[in-house]
Amino acid sequence: MHDLRWIRDNSDAFDAALGRRNKAPGAAQILAVDEARRAIQTALQEMQERRNGASKEIGRAMGEGRTGEVAALKEEVAALKGSLRDAEERERALSSELNELLMELPNILADDVPDGDDESANQELRRVGDPPAFDFEPREHFDLGEALGLMDFETAAKISGSRFVILKGGLARLERALAQFMLDIHTAEFGYLEVSPPLLVREETLFGVGQLPKMAEDMFKTEEGHWMIPTAEVSLVGMAMGDIIDEASLPIRYVAHTACFRSEAGASGKDTRGMVRTHQFYKVELVSLTHPDQSDAEHERMTGCAEAILQRLGLAYRVVVLASGDTGFNARRTFDIEVWLPGQGQYREISSCSNVGPFQARRMNGRFRPIGVDGSGGKDGKPGKPEFLHTLNGSGLAIGRTLIAVMENNQRADGTIAVPEVLQPYMGGVTVLGAGQPGE
């Protein structure tokens, strides 16, 4: 959601910001509705004051025996009651219209986000690690997994349809090991608080965190009205909905390992083979709630936490900053981490870390109370007026895509897969995944 007062004072800058998103100017329409709404609110206040005054006059007139005035005053109060009802309905309609206009518009991008219509304008910030060299033609994950009998798309399709997968034996355990490894690092070393959140959420929550109304077609909804989360960001950010948090508690950092569900409505024809893009997948999600002054630093920190997982797994990757046309609806700025996949011979996204600024907090009314001694922090050590939090989110990492990367980067000529050393304690000491192992 956008700051309406800022739009009033900076309409040209607001339209320029929308232009960077390839959106038509919107300030004039917003301000016209806002002006009409404010005019109605002023009229309402005046009518309410007159109704209250007239009611008091009726009492005085009756007490003083001025019966002739009483009837006229009562008629005026009755007329004001009808006018107030009509004005209140009009005010509600204008407020709803204004809210819908603001809800439909994406976040304002940070100044340093590169301009460009699509991902071709994304800018690489750094590369870390060297892609492995093979003396054989590396295979993609689905060829490796099916040959080992540990990855089954055919049975999954029989059960659930396309874009599902069944993992068995060593690969199922490796998927679990990756999640445990990530959670251990993020909690023990990086200070994130582990949360096991709901996978079904209310519609209000999705509106609050900016998934609705824009992303409705990419999500699954139950007949009872709940929505299945497309990412744990929804639940974790939603925990602050309607709250006022003490500044001393910031930053708050959450991590969750959950199943996620996406319809992939906009991915027709993309990644149809394998498990790069499925309807159900697992992800370790990072969320931070911060003071506005700290959100940029927190963005760098969060990205570094996600990078650390890839570094410890020995996977080559690069970090890019997304261009204006490729940045998601909620984000001010997004860093994508792309891991090297030998089977595809290219880098593929494995994490997006985004600074959302106050955009979600304004939509869901998530605030903090400053505790400083001057400026926005109040006076004489007293708490200041509540301000909107800044929220950040990032994958730390997507489990399925990390599994793909581990498989493809650690494959051997005979089709077996070496288990990275850091994962072996989570695998009961197993060092190689191959066909016919116990439990497979």
Side-chain angles (χ1 to χ4, degrees):
M1 187 74 83
H2 296 281
D3 184 346
L4 190 54
R5 287 177 296 180
W6 187 87
I7 298 174
R8 291 180 196 137
D9 296 336
N10 302 275
S11 58
D12 289 342
F14 182 71
D15 283 341
L18 291 179
R20 297 186 67 199
R21 294 268 201 174
N22 296 320
K23 299 290 184 182
Q29 184 180 9
I30 290 170
L31 295 179
V33 176
D34 178 48
E35 185 177 356
R37 179 183 66 107
R38 294 167 74 190
I40 287 289
Q41 289 174 336
T42 299
L44 269 170
Q45 184 177 358
E46 292 173 350
M47 284 188 284
Q48 287 167 344
E49 290 174 352
R50 177 55 192 153
R51 181 187 62 180
N52 294 338
S55 296
K56 291 178 181 178
E57 288 179 24
I58 290 173
R60 285 195 296 269
M62 291 179 66
E64 296 171 2
R66 292 182 281 116
T67 55
E69 295 179 23
V70 171
L73 287 168
K74 285 184 176 181
E75 285 185 14
E76 183 182 2
V77 169
L80 283 169
K81 184 177 181 180
S83 297
L84 278 167
R85 183 176 58 250
D86 293 341
E88 286 169 349
E89 290 178 0
R90 177 61 177 156
E91 195 276 335
R92 282 194 295 269
L94 287 168
S95 294
S96 178
E97 182 181 356
L98 182 60
N99 190 56
E100 288 178 9
L101 286 172
L102 293 171
M103 282 278 191
E104 290 282 347
L105 295 174
N107 201 351
I108 293 175
L109 298 169
D111 291 340
D112 58 357
V113 170
D115 288 321
D117 291 338
D118 52 38
E119 63 183 14
S120 65
N122 295 347
Q123 294 182 4
E124 184 177 302
L125 300 177
R126 56 186 171 273
R127 291 193 182 198
V128 179
D130 297 318
F134 296 96
D135 56 6
F136 59 91
E137 185 69 25
R139 291 186 280 179
E140 294 198 54
H141 69 283
F142 45 81
D143 289 329
L144 291 165
E146 288 178 327
L148 292 174
L150 306 180
M151 187 177 286
D152 188 345
F153 297 96
E154 184 177 345
T155 303
K158 178 179 67 175
I159 297 170
S160 302
S162 62
R163 294 193 185 274
F164 288 92
V165 64
I166 293 172
L167 300 179
K168 304 175 184 177
L171 283 185
R173 187 171 188 177
L174 184 59
E175 180 185 54
R176 173 162 50 95
L178 283 166
Q180 292 175 310
F181 168 68
M182 293 177 194
L183 288 171
D184 285 350
I185 298 299
H186 290 310
T187 55
E189 297 189 28
F190 299 146
Y192 287 87
L193 175 67
E194 184 174 355
V195 176
S196 179
L199 304 184
L200 295 172
V201 295
R202 300 167 60 192
E203 196 162 274
E204 297 92 321
T205 306
L206 286 163
F207 272 102
V209 300
Q211 296 287 331
L212 288 177
K214 280 296 186 182
M215 289 74 166
E217 69 170 7
D218 202 35
M219 292 184 287
F220 292 105
K221 185 178 182 180
T222 69
E223 292 182 357
E224 290 75 19
H226 284 90
W227 295 72
M228 303 173 77
I229 61 169
T231 166
E233 170 200 345
V234 172
S235 301
L236 297 177
V237 173
M239 288 168 64
M241 185 164 52
D243 288 348
I244 300 177
I245 299 169
D246 288 336
E247 181 183 352
S249 300
L250 302 178
I252 295 173
R253 299 182 177 115
Y254 295 132
V255 61
H257 168 231
T258 67
C260 304
F261 307 90
R262 295 183 186 174
S263 69
E264 296 292 348
S268 178
K270 298 179 181 178
D271 300 308
T272 54
R273 289 203 66 190
M275 52 183 293
V276 169
R277 202 180 297 273
T278 54
H279 292 311
Q280 172 187 310
F281 57 96
Y282 296 91
K283 187 153 64 86
V284 169
E285 183 74 2
L286 308 175
V287 159
S288 295
L289 311 176
T290 74
H291 188 285
D293 293 345
Q294 300 300 318
S295 65
D296 284 339
E298 185 70 13
H299 193 196
E300 297 285 351
R301 181 189 188 276
M302 176 180 285
T303 305
C305 292
E307 288 182 73
I309 301 297
L310 292 172
Q311 292 168 11
R312 298 189 190 196
L313 290 170
L315 298 172
Y317 66 91
R318 68 173 189 163
V319 180
V320 301
V321 57
L322 299 191
S324 57
D326 198 32
T327 302
F329 180 86
N330 285 337
R332 293 184 68 243
R333 181 197 299 108
T334 296
F335 298 138
D336 266 10
I337 305 174
E338 299 177 350
V339 68
W340 177 256
L341 296 183
Q344 295 188 17
Q346 63 178 324
Y347 289 97
R348 293 297 303 268
E349 177 201 334
I350 197 168
S351 172
S352 285
C353 295
S354 297
N355 185 352
V356 181
F359 187 74
Q360 289 174 319
R362 187 171 282 111
R363 293 171 73 106
M364 67 178 188
N365 199 29
R367 296 173 291 169
F368 73 96
R369 190 180 298 280
I371 58 172
V373 295
D374 55 23
S376 65
K379 298 179 181 179
D380 303 323
K382 297 179 181 179
K385 182 179 179 181
E387 300 177 26
F388 289 113
L389 293 159
H390 278 205
T391 63
L392 302 96
N393 64 83
S395 304
L397 305 160
I399 302 296
R401 294 193 178 192
T402 308
L403 178 67
I404 291 169
V406 167
M407 292 173 65
E408 292 193 9
N409 281 275
N410 292 279
Q411 63 181 291
R412 306 195 303 189
D414 62 358
T416 58
I417 300 166
V419 176
E421 186 175 348
V422 293
L423 296 180
Q424 291 173 16
Y426 298 90
M427 295 288 291
V430 172
T431 60
V432 177
L433 296 185
Q437 291 179 340
E440 296 174 5

